[in-house]
Amino acid sequence: MTWTKKILRVNLETGTCTAEPLNLEWARQFLGQRGLATKYLVEETDPKVGPLEPGNKLIFATGPLTGTSASTGGRYSVITKGPLTGAIACSNSGGYFGAELKFAGWDMVIFEGRAPSPVYLHIENGEARLLDASHLWGKTCWETEETIKHHHQDPQLRVASIGRAGENLVLFAGIVNDLHRAAGRSGVGAVMGSKNLKAVAVRGTLTDAYAPAEPEAFFKAVADAKAVLAGNGVTGQGLPTYGTQVLMNIINEVGALPTRNHQDVQFEGARAISGEAMHEPRPTDGKPNLISHNACFGCTIACGRVSKMDPGHFSVKDKPLYHGASGGVEYEAAWALGAANGVSDLEALTYVNFLCNEDGFDPITLGATIGAAMELYELGVLTQEETGLELKWGSAEALVKLGEWTAQGIGFGKVIGQGSRVMCAAYGRPDLSMSVKGQEFPAYDGRGLQGMALEYATSNRGACHVRGYMVSPEVLGIPVKMDPGATEGKAPMLKAFQDLTAVVDSAGICLFTTFAWSAPDIQSMIQPALGGDWSLDSLLLLGERVWNLERRYNLAAGLTAKDDTLPPRLLTEPAKTGPQKGRVADLGKMLPEYYEVRGWSPEGVPTPDTVTRLGL
Amino acid sequence: MQKSLKIDANLCTGCLQCEMACAFEHHRTFTIARSRIKVFSFEKEGRKVPYTCTQCDEAWCLHACPVEAIVKDARTGAKKVLEEVCVGCKVCTIACPFGTVNYVAATGKVQKCDLCSGDPACARACPTGAITYVDADWTGLGKMRQWAGKTDTNPAAV
């Protein structure tokens, strides 16, 4: 089977690394990665623990398809209690790191406690050691990766690290691997920082750690599934050409592009920051922003953007570090750094996106928090004296400065680094934080897309687009076209999306495959990878089990149905323009039905029947 | 007809399906450390470049081997390592100007691309056509065609 059947437990307090067998019983119930690691977290930690306290654990977890030739089979997730939300945090990343962990013979790494001084974990197959990282503390993710590779004289090491944001406990710090890939959301990097853990460096050369249970059936299923991706318009053409940025103009047109802290639902500057614009020659130097696209491990879609900035742009003038190729903006980042604060300078967005990769923090929460700060400034609640900047809507200069200050942990960047919920509460306007459970919305407005409103309100990790992507049915017509303004039918469809997503995130593959793949495609690979009986029904039930496991963790952590809501702006201020003009997010209509469809009480608690049915 | 691996780095996305396919073909593992083809990332330039043995006609590795463990496959043109003969002296790894023959500590032998007996797994696995297996005499055909398309064949019509 495609498990190494080994997990690595690292006690940061005592500095010990121990191998233990993977709990295969749990793997049967929760598959891997997101589901399985959540099970470990639930069993091993107190849900009331402070996310940045040593009692919290940090788990790096792969799935059964990670490190196989299944398309996109290179994913890993970081699971912990999140400091931004106080809820379960599970942040998923691509690149090459996850597969390397499997090659080294580990399905999962669990970090416990807090190191007395900065350390990093070096894994070479079965040998794992904690090494002193005091010389790395204060370095960026990019410098850290380079320094570690140089020190070990091994350019083939794969490194996941935190930058200064994680060290400074920025509540939306991420973990960056392979320079431009990140477990980006919910602040998993801050938890890593709180543990004095700077990086994980891994090299795997084992040849017998794992193999598909039924090789022939596995390779056949993998080849068939790759053909499905290649033949699909989204995964075969749209994503390789434009990346997720293919969405910017589309979402603007349907009136669901949140603009200036969700005051508007359409952005006049959308075209200028779109995927199409990235291809076009810049007026300044005649070169396009986008120079190529790349893939994560095993991925046959290749949506990753590679950008090169105009070296004459004000943000990078005389800073050669940013003149080379680097990770370009994806849709969510372009929206958050752009439309959310009214900035339409693509080069400025690209630069701040580079900073997010360099020092490890989430561009979605960063951009959304800057948007909230701009609104506070425009309202006169924040002053130039306090911020040190003129925070006017659309100011690329302010965006760039706040990005730099957040990375460095200085000035008003320290306030931004706490996210919009803390910031808006501190300035007496908690209503202006465009977040759910403390995590900021991504790039779709819940007034324009009712299903997304319900998705945001119910997502286990706070507002999020990758827990049940209702944009698929509401905009793209996948698997069926649903009216974005309607509330009917959204609850059961969302449940189906959430459950399937939980399977995908537990399997080691990328969610983007589901633009083309449906559940049977995924089942057809998991079955021969693991062997035994993995029926389609059992997998979908597993997804539901994972969802309820997370829900119960959140309830035990102290969250309630009251947290399944949206900011008042979404519920009371109608969309001003676009096809959904006049609408608010009609959560009241959808939420009770959702609880019912889920088998939860009106208080949002899984009923005893549901718990029994799911084997929890 | 002899064939040759043809690599068009412009089409490479860095997915490493080729490395996995190579490792699996020869070692029944996904662990890319065992691959004989490697994809290099030139981060600052945003380029990914697959690289492996070009099967030199007068192969340095073959001539350097003191025990004649590297032989030419007459059909495919590949220079193959005879594992049962190789003594792991690594002289070939020093002789090869391109670095494409390498020692494998686990087996005590060297390994290099052998064109999978005429059906290279890397080319089969490549999703973008960056690696293809084409007529060895005509690896330039695609580029010729490109330039041919730019040739003005009917100036009078302009």
Side-chain angles (χ1 to χ4, degrees):
Chain A
M1 58 163 59
T2 48
W3 283 128
T4 72
K5 301 183 207 154
K6 266 170 63 190
I7 68 176
L8 177 62
R9 190 175 291 276
V10 180
N11 187 316
L12 294 162
E13 218 84 51
T14 59
T16 50
C17 301
T18 18
E20 57 183 71
L22 181 74
N23 188 323
L24 285 169
E25 175 110 4
W26 290 354
R28 211 32 262 186
Q29 284 178 288
F30 300 96
L31 193 54
Q33 203 176 349
R34 173 175 159 191
L36 185 55
T38 303
K39 176 67 176 170
Y40 273 88
L41 190 78
V42 164
E43 294 294 332
E44 296 188 5
T45 61
D46 174 2
K48 297 255 197 263
V49 71
L52 302 178
E53 294 305 313
N56 192 11
K57 295 192 184 186
L58 183 75
I59 307 179
F60 285 60
T62 67
L65 297 179
T66 308
T68 73
S69 56
S71 186
T72 77
R75 312 295 301 188
Y76 76 99
S77 289
V78 180
I79 292 89
T80 187
K81 185 174 183 184
L84 190 64
T85 56
I88 187 83
C90 169
S91 210
N92 185 309
S93 182
Y96 304 105
F97 177 87
E100 198 73 18
L101 204 53
K102 288 277 284 272
F103 299 156
W106 303 105
D107 295 322
M108 204 186 272
V109 184
I110 301 178
F111 293 97
E112 309 176 336
R114 171 188 289 159
S117 63
V119 292
Y120 71 102
L121 179 69
H122 179 248
I123 301 175
E124 203 177 280
N125 296 333
E127 284 176 45
R129 290 178 304 161
L130 284 171
L131 301 173
D132 175 45
S134 41
H135 63 297
L136 298 172
W137 210 250
K139 285 198 190 303
T140 68
C141 298
W142 296 351
E143 293 164 341
T144 299
E145 179 164 337
E146 196 186 334
T147 308
I148 289 176
K149 284 178 171 175
H150 187 256
H151 173 77
H152 292 278
Q153 298 192 36
D154 189 355
Q156 299 191 79
L157 271 171
R158 304 294 188 188
V159 179
S161 68
I162 54 167
R164 290 173 293 181
E167 294 177 11
N168 293 333
L169 308 181
V170 165
L171 291 184
F172 50 91
I175 297 168
V176 174
N177 57 281
D178 305 293
L179 303 176
H180 320 297
R181 293 287 133 200
R185 296 216 78 189
S186 309
V188 294
V191 176
M192 190 155 156
S194 77
K195 298 194 168 307
N196 270 329
L197 176 64
K198 181 66 180 173
V200 182
V202 58
R203 181 82 200 287
T205 63
L206 301 177
T207 55
D208 53 359
Y210 61 95
E214 302 153 23
E216 254 174 62
F218 179 75
F219 287 114
K220 163 101 178 45
V222 161
D224 289 350
K226 280 178 188 163
V228 172
L229 292 179
N232 180 277
V234 179
T235 51
Q237 287 156 24
L239 285 173
T241 309
Y242 295 112
T244 52
Q245 272 276 61
V246 68
L247 289 165
M248 186 65 74
N249 287 315
I250 298 172
I251 301 299
N252 194 42
E253 252 165 60
V254 301
L257 190 71
T259 300
R260 287 174 286 269
N261 207 33
H262 285 67
Q263 292 189 16
D264 297 295
V265 295
Q266 289 182 308
F267 181 41
E268 64 286 355
R271 179 74 185 63
I273 59 170
S274 68
E276 288 82 347
M278 289 172 78
H279 278 272
E280 290 161 6
R282 286 181 288 246
T284 46
D285 66 349
K287 292 177 181 161
N289 175 286
L290 188 82
I291 61 159
S292 64
H293 63 114
N294 63 20
C296 294
F297 182 89
C299 172
T300 56
I301 302 173
C303 73
R305 303 292 89 189
V306 183
S307 286
K308 234 182 197 175
M309 286 189 64
D310 171 4
H313 188 263
F314 79 87
S315 61
V316 295
K317 225 176 197 167
D318 308 317
K319 296 182 199 164
L321 176 62
Y322 307 103
H323 294 176
S326 198
V329 285
E330 317 288 341
Y331 170 60
E332 306 296 332
W335 161 78
L337 303 171
N341 42 54
V343 177
S344 56
D345 177 347
L346 180 61
E347 296 300 300
L349 314 190
T350 305
Y351 170 64
V352 178
N353 195 63
F354 287 179
L355 296 181
C356 289
N357 287 335
E358 185 186 19
D359 264 307
F361 50 113
D362 170 21
I364 301 180
T365 288
L366 174 76
T369 304
I370 292 174
M374 284 182 174
E375 184 165 4
L376 289 170
Y377 182 89
E378 298 271 356
L379 288 169
V381 179
L382 269 176
T383 62
Q384 191 169 347
E385 211 176 13
E386 256 162 316
T387 60
L389 286 169
E390 253 198 303
L391 292 188
K392 284 193 180 309
W393 289 126
S395 168
E397 290 77 11
L399 171 74
V400 160
K401 275 278 168 247
L402 289 177
E404 290 172 346
W405 292 353
T406 306
Q408 295 160 22
I410 58 172
F412 197 69
K414 284 190 222 167
V415 178
I416 297 290
Q418 297 300 296
S420 71
R421 176 162 70 173
V422 173
M423 178 184 74
C424 291
Y427 290 98
R429 291 299 301 271
D431 58 306
L432 293 184
S433 167
M434 293 301 123
S435 61
V436 176
K437 302 182 175 76
Q439 178 160 284
E440 288 73 8
F441 290 119
Y444 316 87
D445 196 292
R447 290 164 295 194
L449 308 173
Q450 297 291 330
M452 281 306 283
L454 183 62
E455 196 256 343
Y456 291 145
T458 59
S459 157
N460 286 327
R461 70 164 191 177
C464 173
H465 58 295
V466 286
R467 283 297 175 276
Y469 193 65
M470 290 295 282
V471 177
S472 275
E474 294 188 304
V475 179
L476 307 172
I478 302 170
V480 290
K481 183 77 179 86
M482 293 183 103
D483 175 2
T487 52
E488 293 77 30
K490 294 293 166 70
M493 181 60 92
L494 176 62
K495 175 184 177 291
F497 264 78
Q498 287 173 334
D499 293 350
L500 179 61
T501 300
V503 174
V504 171
D505 288 346
S506 301
I509 51 176
C510 176
L511 187 58
F512 290 178
T513 57
T514 57
F515 287 118
W517 288 350
S518 51
D521 297 300
I522 296 161
Q523 186 272 340
S524 75
M525 293 184 286
I526 290 175
Q527 166 68 51
L530 290 174
D533 178 27
W534 294 89
S535 71
L536 195 55
D537 288 347
S538 76
L539 265 181
L540 293 175
L541 191 72
L542 183 149
E544 188 178 0
R545 187 178 299 129
V546 171
W547 190 264
N548 281 270
L549 179 75
E550 292 173 338
R551 175 71 177 185
R552 277 159 49 98
Y553 177 87
N554 284 350
L555 294 171
L559 280 80
T560 68
K562 284 200 189 82
D563 298 296
D564 297 340
T565 188
L566 301 169
R569 174 162 289 165
L570 276 285
L571 298 170
T572 59
E573 292 177 26
K576 291 179 197 158
T577 61
Q580 305 301 330
K581 186 178 169 182
R583 272 188 209 280
V584 294
D586 221 338
L587 194 59
K589 269 194 190 154
M590 297 181 284
L591 195 59
E593 188 194 353
Y594 174 85
Y595 285 171
E596 203 180 313
V597 171
R598 276 257 167 243
W600 296 353
S601 73
E603 291 74 43
V605 180
T607 62
D609 280 358
T610 301
V611 172
T612 309
R613 180 172 61 83
L614 296 173
L616 285 167
Chain B
M1 178 178 68
Q2 210 171 87
K3 291 178 121 188
S4 180
L5 280 175
K6 180 169 165 289
I7 292 175
D8 182 349
N10 286 321
L11 296 174
C12 179
T13 62
C15 74
L16 309 192
Q17 285 282 351
C18 56
E19 294 195 20
M20 263 188 287
C22 180
F24 209 90
E25 179 78 20
H26 298 100
H27 300 279
R28 310 301 289 173
T29 179
F30 294 117
T31 299
I32 56 175
R34 280 289 181 278
S35 173
R36 299 155 184 203
I37 185 166
K38 294 302 287 180
V39 178
F40 293 89
S41 181
F42 297 89
E43 292 293 340
K44 289 279 162 200
E45 303 161 39
R47 290 199 307 143
K48 310 273 186 181
V49 184
Y51 199 74
T52 189
C53 174
T54 57
Q55 315 295 350
C56 314
D57 227 43
E58 291 293 330
W60 279 267
C61 61
L62 183 148
H63 290 302
C65 179
V67 295
E68 295 184 11
I70 300 180
V71 297
K72 180 172 173 172
D73 181 321
R75 190 171 56 86
T76 61
K79 311 302 171 296
K80 298 199 316 192
V81 178
L82 303 175
E83 279 221 1
E84 62 281 13
V85 181
C86 175
V87 294
C89 73
K90 313 177 194 72
V91 170
C92 56
T93 69
I94 301 165
C96 173
F98 309 105
T100 52
V101 55
N102 283 286
Y103 181 63
V104 181
T107 60
K109 315 284 178 184
V110 296
Q111 69 165 7
K112 66 178 289 301
C113 172
D114 60 2
L115 296 176
C116 300
S117 308
D119 184 17
C122 56
R124 256 183 291 137
C126 179
T128 65
I131 305 169
T132 49
Y133 192 54
V134 302
D135 183 345
D137 291 355
W138 285 102
T139 51
L141 198 66
K143 271 189 207 160
M144 277 176 82
R145 191 176 191 285
Q146 258 177 18
W147 284 101
K150 294 179 185 175
T151 305
D152 186 355
T153 47
N154 189 4
V158 177

